[in-house]
Amino acid sequence: MYQVTLGRRSYRFSDLRQLMARASPARSGDYLAEVAAQSAEERMAARIALADLPLKVFLQQPLVPYEQDEVTRLIIDGHNAAAFEPISHLTVGDFRNWLLSEQADSATLARVAPGITPEMAAAVSKIMRNQDLILVAKKCRVVTRFRNTLGLPGHLSVRLQPNHPTDSLQGIAASMLDGLLYGSGDAVVGINPASDSLPLLEKLNYMLDDVIQRFAIPTQSCVLTHVTNTLRLIERGAPVDLVFQSIAGTEAANRGFGISLALLAEAQQAALSLNRGTLGNNVMYFETGQGSCLSANAHHGVDQQTCEARAYAVARHFSPLLINTVVGFIGPEYLYDGKQIIRAGLEDHFCGKLLGLPLGCDVCYTNHAEADQDDMDTLLTLLATAGLTFLIGVPGADDIMLNYQSTSFHDALYIRELLGLKHAPEFAVWLAKMNIIDASGRLRDTAANHPLLLALQGERP
Protein backbone atom coordinates (compact mmCIF):
# COMPACT_ATOMS: atom_id res chain seq x y z
CA MET A 1 0.00 0.00 0.00
CA TYR A 2 1.27 3.45 -0.97
CA GLN A 3 -0.35 6.60 0.39
CA VAL A 4 0.07 10.32 -0.33
CA THR A 5 -1.86 13.25 1.14
CA LEU A 6 -2.42 16.36 -0.97
CA GLY A 7 -4.19 19.10 0.96
CA ARG A 8 -7.13 17.47 2.73
CA ARG A 9 -7.30 14.43 0.49
CA SER A 10 -5.37 11.18 0.80
CA TYR A 11 -4.64 8.94 -2.18
CA ARG A 12 -3.99 5.24 -1.72
CA PHE A 13 -2.44 2.88 -4.25
CA SER A 14 -2.91 -0.79 -3.51
CA ASP A 15 0.33 -2.07 -5.04
CA LEU A 16 3.30 -1.11 -7.20
CA ARG A 17 1.47 -1.99 -10.40
CA GLN A 18 -1.35 0.45 -9.60
CA LEU A 19 1.11 3.13 -8.49
CA MET A 20 2.99 2.91 -11.79
CA ALA A 21 -0.22 3.06 -13.83
CA ARG A 22 -1.62 6.04 -11.95
CA ALA A 23 1.68 7.92 -12.39
CA SER A 24 1.62 7.58 -16.19
CA PRO A 25 0.78 10.58 -18.36
CA ALA A 26 -2.79 10.39 -19.61
CA ARG A 27 -3.34 8.14 -22.62
CA SER A 28 -6.36 6.45 -24.09
CA GLY A 29 -5.01 2.89 -23.81
CA ASP A 30 -4.68 3.11 -20.02
CA TYR A 31 -8.22 4.48 -19.76
CA LEU A 32 -9.40 1.62 -21.94
CA ALA A 33 -7.66 -0.81 -19.57
CA GLU A 34 -9.17 1.01 -16.56
CA VAL A 35 -5.78 1.52 -14.92
CA ALA A 36 -5.27 5.27 -15.49
CA ALA A 37 -5.47 8.02 -12.88
CA GLN A 38 -8.92 9.56 -12.64
CA SER A 39 -7.66 13.11 -12.20
CA ALA A 40 -4.56 15.22 -12.62
CA GLU A 41 -4.32 15.45 -8.83
CA GLU A 42 -4.35 11.67 -8.43
CA ARG A 43 -1.68 11.41 -11.14
CA MET A 44 0.51 13.90 -9.27
CA ALA A 45 -0.02 12.06 -5.98
CA ALA A 46 1.15 8.84 -7.64
CA ARG A 47 4.22 10.57 -9.03
CA ILE A 48 5.13 11.94 -5.61
CA ALA A 49 4.88 8.46 -4.11
CA LEU A 50 6.80 6.94 -7.01
CA ALA A 51 9.63 9.47 -6.69
CA ASP A 52 10.25 8.32 -3.11
CA LEU A 53 10.38 4.64 -4.08
CA PRO A 54 13.82 2.94 -3.90
CA LEU A 55 14.95 1.43 -7.20
CA LYS A 56 15.62 -1.86 -5.39
CA VAL A 57 11.89 -2.37 -4.95
CA PHE A 58 11.54 -3.24 -8.64
CA LEU A 59 13.81 -6.23 -8.12
CA GLN A 60 11.76 -7.37 -5.14
CA GLN A 61 8.23 -6.82 -6.47
CA PRO A 62 7.81 -7.92 -10.12
CA LEU A 63 4.80 -6.29 -11.78
CA VAL A 64 4.06 -9.47 -13.72
CA PRO A 65 4.42 -12.67 -11.64
CA TYR A 66 7.78 -14.41 -11.99
CA GLU A 67 6.19 -17.87 -12.12
CA GLN A 68 3.79 -16.92 -14.92
CA ASP A 69 5.97 -14.93 -17.27
CA GLU A 70 9.26 -15.71 -19.00
CA VAL A 71 9.91 -12.02 -19.69
CA THR A 72 9.85 -11.36 -15.95
CA ARG A 73 12.21 -14.28 -15.43
CA LEU A 74 14.52 -12.88 -18.10
CA ILE A 75 14.53 -9.49 -16.37
CA ILE A 76 15.14 -10.83 -12.86
CA ASP A 77 17.50 -13.72 -13.64
CA GLY A 78 19.52 -11.67 -16.11
CA HIS A 79 19.89 -8.61 -13.90
CA ASN A 80 23.48 -7.38 -13.68
CA ALA A 81 24.00 -6.61 -10.00
CA ALA A 82 27.50 -5.23 -10.50
CA ALA A 83 26.30 -2.69 -13.08
CA PHE A 84 23.40 -1.74 -10.79
CA GLU A 85 25.55 -1.22 -7.71
CA PRO A 86 26.52 2.45 -8.37
CA ILE A 87 22.84 3.47 -8.48
CA SER A 88 21.41 0.84 -6.11
CA HIS A 89 20.99 3.32 -3.24
CA LEU A 90 18.85 5.74 -5.26
CA THR A 91 15.13 6.36 -5.21
CA VAL A 92 13.27 6.94 -8.48
CA GLY A 93 13.44 10.69 -7.86
CA ASP A 94 17.14 10.55 -7.04
CA PHE A 95 17.66 8.49 -10.19
CA ARG A 96 16.08 11.25 -12.28
CA ASN A 97 18.34 13.86 -10.73
CA TRP A 98 21.40 11.66 -11.27
CA LEU A 99 20.52 11.00 -14.91
CA LEU A 100 20.29 14.74 -15.52
CA SER A 101 23.57 15.49 -13.77
CA GLU A 102 26.97 15.90 -15.41
CA GLN A 103 28.09 12.83 -13.46
CA ALA A 104 25.92 10.65 -15.71
CA ASP A 105 27.92 11.03 -18.90
CA SER A 106 27.78 8.71 -21.91
CA ALA A 107 30.42 6.29 -20.61
CA THR A 108 28.80 6.05 -17.18
CA LEU A 109 25.34 5.47 -18.64
CA ALA A 110 26.72 2.67 -20.81
CA ARG A 111 28.25 0.99 -17.76
CA VAL A 112 25.07 1.07 -15.67
CA ALA A 113 22.68 0.15 -18.51
CA PRO A 114 22.86 -3.64 -17.87
CA GLY A 115 21.81 -2.99 -14.26
CA ILE A 116 18.71 -0.97 -15.14
CA THR A 117 15.49 -2.96 -15.45
CA PRO A 118 12.67 -1.88 -17.80
CA GLU A 119 10.46 -1.09 -14.81
CA MET A 120 13.12 1.26 -13.40
CA ALA A 121 13.39 3.01 -16.76
CA ALA A 122 9.61 3.28 -17.08
CA ALA A 123 9.25 4.55 -13.52
CA VAL A 124 11.77 7.36 -13.87
CA SER A 125 10.31 8.39 -17.24
CA LYS A 126 6.94 8.94 -15.56
CA ILE A 127 8.34 11.75 -13.40
CA MET A 128 10.33 13.38 -16.20
CA ARG A 129 9.36 16.25 -18.47
CA ASN A 130 9.80 15.98 -22.22
CA GLN A 131 13.02 17.99 -22.06
CA ASP A 132 14.39 15.56 -19.45
CA LEU A 133 13.68 12.59 -21.70
CA ILE A 134 15.44 14.31 -24.60
CA LEU A 135 18.50 15.40 -22.63
CA VAL A 136 19.20 12.01 -21.06
CA ALA A 137 18.54 10.04 -24.26
CA LYS A 138 20.97 12.34 -26.08
CA LYS A 139 23.73 11.21 -23.69
CA CYS A 140 23.14 7.50 -24.34
CA ARG A 141 25.43 6.03 -26.99
CA VAL A 142 24.51 2.69 -28.57
CA VAL A 143 26.50 1.54 -31.61
CA THR A 144 25.71 -1.59 -33.65
CA ARG A 145 27.16 -3.09 -36.83
CA PHE A 146 26.34 -5.50 -39.64
CA ARG A 147 27.54 -4.10 -42.99
CA ASN A 148 27.82 -0.56 -41.71
CA THR A 149 28.02 1.31 -38.40
CA LEU A 150 24.83 2.65 -36.82
CA GLY A 151 24.26 4.88 -33.80
CA LEU A 152 27.36 7.05 -33.89
CA PRO A 153 26.98 10.54 -32.35
CA GLY A 154 25.94 13.12 -34.93
CA HIS A 155 24.53 10.49 -37.27
CA LEU A 156 20.97 9.54 -38.21
CA SER A 157 20.09 6.55 -40.38
CA VAL A 158 16.98 5.72 -42.37
CA ARG A 159 15.15 2.47 -42.94
CA LEU A 160 14.12 2.49 -46.58
CA GLN A 161 10.60 0.97 -46.60
CA PRO A 162 9.56 0.17 -50.20
CA ASN A 163 6.29 -1.60 -49.45
CA HIS A 164 3.79 -2.53 -52.18
CA PRO A 165 0.16 -3.72 -51.72
CA THR A 166 0.62 -6.66 -54.13
CA ASP A 167 4.32 -7.32 -53.43
CA SER A 168 5.11 -6.29 -57.01
CA LEU A 169 8.85 -6.78 -57.48
CA GLN A 170 8.94 -3.92 -59.99
CA GLY A 171 7.00 -1.60 -57.68
CA ILE A 172 9.22 -2.45 -54.72
CA ALA A 173 12.34 -1.96 -56.82
CA ALA A 174 11.11 1.46 -57.97
CA SER A 175 10.53 2.63 -54.40
CA MET A 176 13.83 1.15 -53.28
CA LEU A 177 15.85 2.92 -55.95
CA ASP A 178 13.91 6.13 -55.35
CA GLY A 179 14.91 5.99 -51.69
CA LEU A 180 18.54 5.26 -52.47
CA LEU A 181 18.67 8.29 -54.78
CA TYR A 182 17.43 10.39 -51.85
CA GLY A 183 20.22 8.99 -49.67
CA SER A 184 17.98 6.69 -47.61
CA GLY A 185 18.60 3.06 -46.70
CA ASP A 186 21.64 3.03 -44.42
CA ALA A 187 19.74 1.50 -41.50
CA VAL A 188 18.16 -1.26 -43.59
CA VAL A 189 16.12 -1.82 -46.72
CA GLY A 190 13.11 -3.43 -45.10
CA ILE A 191 9.95 -4.70 -46.80
CA ASN A 192 6.65 -5.43 -45.04
CA PRO A 193 5.31 -8.14 -47.37
CA ALA A 194 1.59 -8.32 -48.07
CA SER A 195 1.81 -12.11 -48.44
CA ASP A 196 3.17 -14.98 -46.35
CA SER A 197 3.86 -17.07 -49.46
CA LEU A 198 7.27 -18.63 -48.95
CA PRO A 199 8.22 -18.60 -52.66
CA LEU A 200 7.34 -14.91 -52.86
CA LEU A 201 9.27 -14.10 -49.68
CA GLU A 202 12.22 -15.92 -51.18
CA LYS A 203 11.99 -13.83 -54.37
CA LEU A 204 11.94 -10.64 -52.29
CA ASN A 205 15.09 -11.70 -50.43
CA TYR A 206 16.91 -12.49 -53.65
CA MET A 207 15.85 -9.22 -55.28
CA LEU A 208 17.09 -7.13 -52.34
CA ASP A 209 20.33 -9.07 -52.20
CA ASP A 210 20.85 -8.67 -55.93
CA VAL A 211 20.61 -4.86 -55.74
CA ILE A 212 22.85 -4.66 -52.67
CA GLN A 213 25.48 -6.95 -54.18
CA ARG A 214 25.32 -5.52 -57.71
CA PHE A 215 25.98 -1.99 -56.51
CA ALA A 216 28.13 -2.98 -53.49
CA ILE A 217 25.87 -1.04 -51.12
CA PRO A 218 27.12 -1.13 -47.51
CA THR A 219 23.73 -1.81 -45.99
CA GLN A 220 21.51 -4.74 -45.04
CA SER A 221 18.13 -6.04 -46.14
CA CYS A 222 15.20 -7.51 -44.27
CA VAL A 223 11.86 -8.98 -45.27
CA LEU A 224 9.68 -8.34 -42.23
CA THR A 225 7.85 -11.64 -42.10
CA HIS A 226 7.22 -13.87 -39.11
CA VAL A 227 10.34 -15.38 -37.58
CA THR A 228 9.19 -18.91 -38.45
CA ASN A 229 9.05 -17.93 -42.12
CA THR A 230 12.56 -16.50 -41.89
CA LEU A 231 13.82 -19.74 -40.38
CA ARG A 232 12.32 -21.64 -43.32
CA LEU A 233 13.93 -19.19 -45.75
CA ILE A 234 17.31 -19.77 -44.13
CA GLU A 235 16.79 -23.53 -44.44
CA ARG A 236 16.07 -23.03 -48.17
CA GLY A 237 19.34 -21.14 -48.61
CA ALA A 238 17.81 -17.68 -49.14
CA PRO A 239 20.18 -14.70 -48.65
CA VAL A 240 18.80 -13.53 -45.29
CA ASP A 241 20.63 -10.62 -43.63
CA LEU A 242 18.47 -9.74 -40.61
CA VAL A 243 15.83 -11.70 -38.71
CA PHE A 244 12.75 -9.61 -37.96
CA GLN A 245 10.05 -10.05 -35.34
CA SER A 246 7.46 -7.94 -33.56
CA ILE A 247 7.85 -8.40 -29.80
CA ALA A 248 5.94 -7.39 -26.68
CA GLY A 249 6.54 -7.09 -22.95
CA THR A 250 4.78 -10.17 -21.60
CA GLU A 251 4.98 -13.87 -22.34
CA ALA A 252 1.26 -13.99 -23.10
CA ALA A 253 1.47 -11.15 -25.63
CA ASN A 254 4.47 -12.77 -27.31
CA ARG A 255 2.56 -16.03 -27.43
CA GLY A 256 -0.11 -14.09 -29.33
CA PHE A 257 2.62 -13.17 -31.81
CA GLY A 258 3.46 -16.86 -32.08
CA ILE A 259 6.89 -16.52 -30.50
CA SER A 260 8.90 -17.38 -27.41
CA LEU A 261 12.37 -16.53 -26.18
CA ALA A 262 13.55 -19.96 -27.27
CA LEU A 263 12.27 -19.43 -30.81
CA LEU A 264 14.02 -16.06 -31.05
CA ALA A 265 17.25 -17.66 -29.83
CA GLU A 266 16.96 -20.34 -32.50
CA ALA A 267 16.47 -17.72 -35.20
CA GLN A 268 19.40 -15.66 -33.98
CA GLN A 269 21.71 -18.66 -34.14
CA ALA A 270 20.46 -19.53 -37.62
CA ALA A 271 21.20 -16.01 -38.87
CA LEU A 272 24.61 -15.96 -37.22
CA SER A 273 25.48 -19.23 -38.94
CA LEU A 274 25.15 -17.50 -42.34
CA ASN A 275 27.99 -15.11 -41.46
CA ARG A 276 26.71 -12.43 -43.86
CA GLY A 277 27.79 -9.40 -41.84
CA THR A 278 31.05 -7.74 -42.84
CA LEU A 279 31.57 -5.39 -39.87
CA GLY A 280 29.57 -7.00 -37.08
CA ASN A 281 27.17 -9.73 -36.05
CA ASN A 282 24.08 -7.84 -34.84
CA VAL A 283 21.57 -9.87 -36.85
CA MET A 284 18.19 -9.16 -35.21
CA TYR A 285 15.61 -6.46 -36.00
CA PHE A 286 12.66 -5.90 -33.65
CA GLU A 287 9.58 -3.68 -33.71
CA THR A 288 7.42 -2.77 -30.73
CA GLY A 289 4.62 -0.37 -29.87
CA GLN A 290 2.66 0.84 -26.87
CA GLY A 291 -0.67 -0.97 -26.64
CA SER A 292 0.35 -4.36 -28.04
CA CYS A 293 -0.04 -6.14 -24.69
CA LEU A 294 -3.42 -4.53 -24.03
CA SER A 295 -4.69 -5.33 -27.53
CA ALA A 296 -3.83 -8.99 -26.84
CA ASN A 297 -5.48 -8.87 -23.39
CA ALA A 298 -2.08 -9.82 -22.00
CA HIS A 299 -1.09 -6.77 -19.95
CA HIS A 300 -1.68 -8.20 -16.43
CA GLY A 301 -3.07 -4.83 -15.31
CA VAL A 302 0.24 -3.10 -16.11
CA ASP A 303 0.12 0.28 -17.88
CA GLN A 304 0.98 0.27 -21.58
CA GLN A 305 4.18 2.29 -21.32
CA THR A 306 5.68 -0.07 -18.73
CA CYS A 307 4.66 -3.05 -20.87
CA GLU A 308 6.46 -1.39 -23.77
CA ALA A 309 9.62 -0.94 -21.71
CA ARG A 310 9.50 -4.62 -20.79
CA ALA A 311 9.62 -5.48 -24.50
CA TYR A 312 13.02 -3.80 -24.54
CA ALA A 313 14.30 -6.44 -22.11
CA VAL A 314 13.47 -9.06 -24.73
CA ALA A 315 15.25 -7.06 -27.41
CA ARG A 316 18.30 -6.35 -25.25
CA HIS A 317 18.80 -10.06 -24.67
CA PHE A 318 19.39 -10.59 -28.40
CA SER A 319 21.70 -7.61 -29.13
CA PRO A 320 19.76 -6.35 -32.18
CA LEU A 321 21.16 -4.25 -34.98
CA LEU A 322 17.91 -2.27 -34.95
CA ILE A 323 14.78 -1.87 -32.88
CA ASN A 324 12.07 0.71 -33.37
CA THR A 325 8.83 1.62 -31.74
CA VAL A 326 5.99 2.04 -34.24
CA VAL A 327 4.63 4.71 -32.01
CA GLY A 328 1.20 5.63 -33.40
CA PHE A 329 0.47 2.60 -35.56
CA ILE A 330 -2.11 0.77 -33.43
CA GLY A 331 -4.48 3.74 -33.38
CA PRO A 332 -6.30 6.26 -31.19
CA GLU A 333 -7.67 3.54 -28.90
CA TYR A 334 -4.16 3.45 -27.39
CA LEU A 335 -2.64 6.85 -28.25
CA TYR A 336 -5.49 9.23 -28.94
CA ASP A 337 -3.93 12.35 -30.41
CA GLY A 338 -0.73 14.11 -31.40
CA LYS A 339 0.10 15.07 -27.82
CA GLN A 340 -0.09 11.46 -26.62
CA ILE A 341 1.87 10.17 -29.63
CA ILE A 342 4.63 12.73 -29.10
CA ARG A 343 4.96 11.89 -25.41
CA ALA A 344 4.93 8.14 -26.08
CA GLY A 345 7.63 8.46 -28.74
CA LEU A 346 9.91 10.36 -26.37
CA GLU A 347 9.28 7.86 -23.56
CA ASP A 348 10.00 4.87 -25.78
CA HIS A 349 13.20 6.38 -27.13
CA PHE A 350 14.41 7.34 -23.66
CA CYS A 351 13.67 3.93 -22.12
CA GLY A 352 15.23 2.02 -24.99
CA LYS A 353 18.41 4.09 -25.05
CA LEU A 354 18.73 3.97 -21.26
CA LEU A 355 18.56 0.17 -21.41
CA GLY A 356 21.32 0.09 -24.05
CA LEU A 357 19.33 -0.40 -27.24
CA PRO A 358 19.74 1.19 -30.70
CA LEU A 359 16.27 2.73 -30.58
CA GLY A 360 14.70 4.09 -33.73
CA CYS A 361 11.14 5.25 -34.27
CA ASP A 362 8.48 4.94 -36.90
CA VAL A 363 7.05 8.44 -36.40
CA CYS A 364 3.55 7.60 -37.53
CA TYR A 365 -0.19 7.78 -37.02
CA THR A 366 -3.33 6.22 -38.41
CA ASN A 367 -5.80 8.27 -40.40
CA HIS A 368 -8.50 8.08 -37.71
CA ALA A 369 -6.25 9.48 -34.95
CA GLU A 370 -6.50 13.09 -33.82
CA ALA A 371 -3.08 13.83 -35.27
CA ASP A 372 -1.55 15.18 -38.46
CA GLN A 373 1.78 15.57 -40.21
CA ASP A 374 2.59 18.70 -38.20
CA ASP A 375 2.54 16.55 -35.06
CA MET A 376 4.90 14.11 -36.76
CA ASP A 377 7.23 16.98 -37.72
CA THR A 378 7.35 17.96 -34.05
CA LEU A 379 8.07 14.42 -32.85
CA LEU A 380 10.67 13.81 -35.55
CA THR A 381 12.50 17.01 -34.62
CA LEU A 382 12.42 16.22 -30.91
CA LEU A 383 13.60 12.63 -31.40
CA ALA A 384 16.43 13.61 -33.75
CA THR A 385 17.53 16.19 -31.20
CA ALA A 386 17.51 13.38 -28.61
CA GLY A 387 19.87 11.22 -30.69
CA LEU A 388 17.44 8.95 -32.54
CA THR A 389 19.25 6.01 -34.16
CA PHE A 390 17.04 5.80 -37.25
CA LEU A 391 13.70 6.76 -38.73
CA ILE A 392 11.52 5.35 -41.49
CA GLY A 393 11.61 6.47 -45.12
CA VAL A 394 8.41 5.86 -47.10
CA PRO A 395 7.66 7.42 -50.52
CA GLY A 396 5.57 10.51 -49.79
CA ALA A 397 5.25 9.46 -46.10
CA ASP A 398 2.15 7.44 -47.08
CA ASP A 399 2.55 3.67 -46.84
CA ILE A 400 0.29 2.27 -49.56
CA MET A 401 0.46 -1.28 -48.22
CA LEU A 402 0.01 -0.74 -44.47
CA ASN A 403 -2.30 2.29 -44.93
CA TYR A 404 -0.81 4.62 -42.36
CA GLN A 405 1.13 7.89 -42.33
CA SER A 406 4.85 7.79 -41.57
CA THR A 407 7.90 9.85 -42.56
CA SER A 408 9.34 10.32 -46.02
CA PHE A 409 12.71 10.49 -47.74
CA HIS A 410 12.23 14.28 -47.77
CA ASP A 411 11.70 14.30 -43.99
CA ALA A 412 15.11 12.68 -43.63
CA LEU A 413 16.64 15.41 -45.81
CA TYR A 414 14.97 18.06 -43.64
CA ILE A 415 16.21 16.74 -40.33
CA ARG A 416 19.74 16.09 -41.58
CA GLU A 417 19.94 19.64 -42.95
CA LEU A 418 18.45 21.15 -39.78
CA LEU A 419 20.72 19.39 -37.30
CA GLY A 420 23.74 18.61 -39.44
CA LEU A 421 23.28 14.86 -39.06
CA LYS A 422 25.28 12.42 -41.16
CA HIS A 423 24.59 9.06 -42.82
CA ALA A 424 26.25 5.90 -41.53
CA PRO A 425 29.90 6.50 -42.47
CA GLU A 426 30.32 3.53 -44.82
CA PHE A 427 27.03 4.38 -46.55
CA ALA A 428 28.08 8.03 -46.93
CA VAL A 429 31.23 6.94 -48.76
CA TRP A 430 29.11 4.86 -51.13
CA LEU A 431 26.64 7.73 -51.71
CA ALA A 432 29.51 10.04 -52.61
CA LYS A 433 31.05 7.43 -54.92
CA MET A 434 27.69 7.07 -56.68
CA ASN A 435 27.39 10.88 -57.04
CA ILE A 436 24.23 10.92 -54.91
CA ILE A 437 25.64 13.33 -52.30
CA ASP A 438 28.41 15.91 -52.48
CA ALA A 439 31.37 16.37 -50.16
CA SER A 440 29.21 18.23 -47.63
CA GLY A 441 26.62 15.44 -47.56
CA ARG A 442 23.96 17.33 -49.51
CA LEU A 443 21.94 15.64 -52.22
CA ARG A 444 23.09 16.05 -55.83
CA ASP A 445 20.85 16.34 -58.88
CA THR A 446 20.49 12.91 -60.48
CA ALA A 447 21.35 12.51 -64.14
CA ALA A 448 19.07 10.46 -66.38
CA ASN A 449 21.86 7.97 -67.04
CA HIS A 450 22.57 7.32 -63.38
CA PRO A 451 23.36 3.60 -62.85
CA LEU A 452 20.47 3.17 -60.42
CA LEU A 453 17.98 4.64 -62.90
CA LEU A 454 19.30 2.42 -65.64
CA ALA A 455 18.87 -0.56 -63.32
CA LEU A 456 15.23 0.38 -62.81
CA GLN A 457 14.78 0.27 -66.57
CA GLY A 458 16.23 -3.23 -66.61
CA GLU A 459 19.58 -2.14 -67.99
CA ARG A 460 22.89 -3.01 -66.40
CA PRO A 461 25.37 -0.11 -66.47
Side-chain angles (χ1 to χ4, degrees):
M1 171 74 73
Y2 303 91
Q3 182 171 328
V4 172
T5 300
L6 295 180
R8 297 182 179 180
R9 182 165 183 179
S10 291
Y11 290 91
R12 296 179 177 84
F13 308 100
S14 60
D15 55 22
L16 183 56
R17 181 167 46 199
Q18 186 180 80
L19 178 66
M20 289 277 281
R22 298 294 195 270
S24 284
R27 63 204 53 195
S28 51
D30 288 339
Y31 287 114
L32 181 65
E34 300 182 341
V35 300
Q38 296 304 301
S39 67
E41 186 173 275
E42 183 187 20
R43 184 171 297 111
M44 184 55 65
R47 289 175 178 173
I48 291 171
L50 185 60
D52 289 335
L53 194 71
L55 291 177
K56 290 180 179 178
V57 170
F58 293 101
L59 298 172
Q60 302 159 356
Q61 299 180 32
L63 301 185
V64 181
Y66 180 93
E67 297 77 15
Q68 299 177 19
D69 188 89
E70 68 174 0
V71 177
T72 298
R73 294 193 291 275
L74 177 69
I75 293 168
I76 299 300
D77 296 346
H79 182 249
N80 189 319
F84 179 60
E85 196 279 330
I87 59 172
S88 62
H89 62 289
L90 300 178
T91 64
V92 173
D94 293 333
F95 188 36
R96 171 193 175 272
N97 295 338
W98 180 81
L99 288 170
L100 291 167
S101 72
E102 293 182 1
Q103 180 185 353
D105 58 17
S106 297
T108 302
L109 290 171
R111 286 195 298 271
V112 302
I116 301 171
T117 69
E119 291 84 357
M120 294 175 193
V124 74
S125 76
K126 296 178 192 299
I127 63 168
M128 298 174 81
R129 293 170 58 183
N130 285 0
Q131 66 174 248
D132 299 339
L133 300 175
I134 293 168
L135 182 60
V136 176
K138 179 74 171 181
K139 296 193 287 185
C140 297
R141 304 281 186 243
V142 184
V143 177
T144 57
R145 294 178 175 88
F146 189 75
R147 291 202 188 98
N148 55 24
T149 305
L150 305 176
L152 293 171
H155 292 67
L156 175 67
S157 296
V158 178
R159 170 189 160 189
L160 202 172
Q161 184 170 299
N163 294 344
H164 193 278
T166 64
D167 289 330
S168 162
L169 296 183
Q170 186 176 12
I172 289 169
S175 293
M176 178 181 176
L177 296 174
D178 184 32
L180 290 170
L181 290 170
Y182 276 108
S184 292
D186 48 346
V188 64
V189 181
I191 300 170
N192 298 95
S195 170
D196 279 333
S197 162
L198 210 61
L200 176 60
L201 298 176
E202 193 168 31
K203 288 180 181 179
L204 292 175
N205 270 280
Y206 276 105
M207 184 202 72
L208 293 178
D209 185 63
D210 175 65
V211 175
I212 289 173
Q213 299 301 329
R214 188 195 314 181
F215 294 101
I217 308 174
T219 191
Q220 36 283 325
S221 67
C222 185
V223 175
L224 282 71
T225 186
H226 193 271
V227 63
T228 53
N229 288 333
T230 305
L231 277 168
R232 293 169 68 190
L233 290 169
I234 292 173
E235 291 170 357
R236 291 165 66 116
V240 172
D241 287 343
L242 305 182
V243 173
F244 168 81
Q245 183 55 49
S246 295
I247 56 173
T250 68
E251 178 181 347
N254 284 326
R255 191 183 308 122
F257 285 144
I259 63 168
S260 65
L261 297 180
L263 179 61
L264 293 177
E266 179 186 352
Q268 182 186 37
Q269 290 305 309
L272 287 171
S273 72
L274 300 179
N275 198 31
R276 291 177 58 81
T278 55
L279 296 183
N281 60 0
N282 299 114
V283 297
M284 304 299 283
Y285 176 20
F286 296 118
E287 282 190 338
T288 65
Q290 288 195 29
S292 57
C293 289
L294 175 58
S295 67
N297 194 28
H299 58 101
H300 297 270
V302 177
D303 67 272
Q304 68 181 38
Q305 188 251 333
T306 302
C307 284
E308 170 71 5
R310 283 170 54 90
Y312 302 154
V314 177
R316 180 167 64 173
H317 184 66
F318 295 101
S319 303
L321 179 75
L322 303 165
I323 170 174
N324 67 266
T325 170
V326 192
V327 66
F329 182 74
I330 302 182
E333 299 84 0
Y334 304 93
L335 295 169
Y336 179 72
D337 56 14
K339 180 179 177 66
Q340 292 188 12
I341 292 171
I342 289 168
R343 174 67 190 192
L346 294 176
E347 289 170 348
D348 294 351
H349 181 249
F350 162 82
C351 288
K353 282 292 187 65
L354 190 62
L355 292 168
L357 285 169
L359 233 293
C361 185
D362 190 345
V363 179
C364 64
Y365 64 102
T366 57
N367 288 313
H368 62 309
E370 292 295 322
D372 58 27
Q373 213 65 35
D374 286 339
D375 295 314
M376 301 306 105
D377 287 349
T378 299
L379 178 54
L380 170 60
T381 306
L382 294 174
L383 285 171
T385 303
L388 184 71
T389 301
F390 72 102
L391 69 150
I392 307 300
V394 178
D398 186 357
D399 193 298
I400 58 173
M401 196 283 282
L402 293 173
N403 291 311
Y404 78 115
Q405 307 305 309
S406 185
T407 46
S408 70
F409 308 138
H410 298 80
D411 293 325
L413 296 178
Y414 145 73
I415 201 64
R416 283 201 173 107
E417 177 73 18
L418 178 70
L419 300 178
L421 299 171
K422 302 176 183 178
H423 303 84
E426 302 85 358
F427 194 76
V429 171
W430 178 82
L431 290 173
K433 180 181 177 181
M434 296 293 290
N435 291 316
I436 294 173
I437 62 173
D438 62 22
S440 66
R442 288 189 172 90
L443 205 66
R444 289 182 181 273
D445 290 335
T446 303
N449 64 345
H450 192 281
L452 291 176
L453 292 176
L454 294 177
L456 178 60
Q457 300 165 17
E459 300 175 27
R460 288 184 178 269

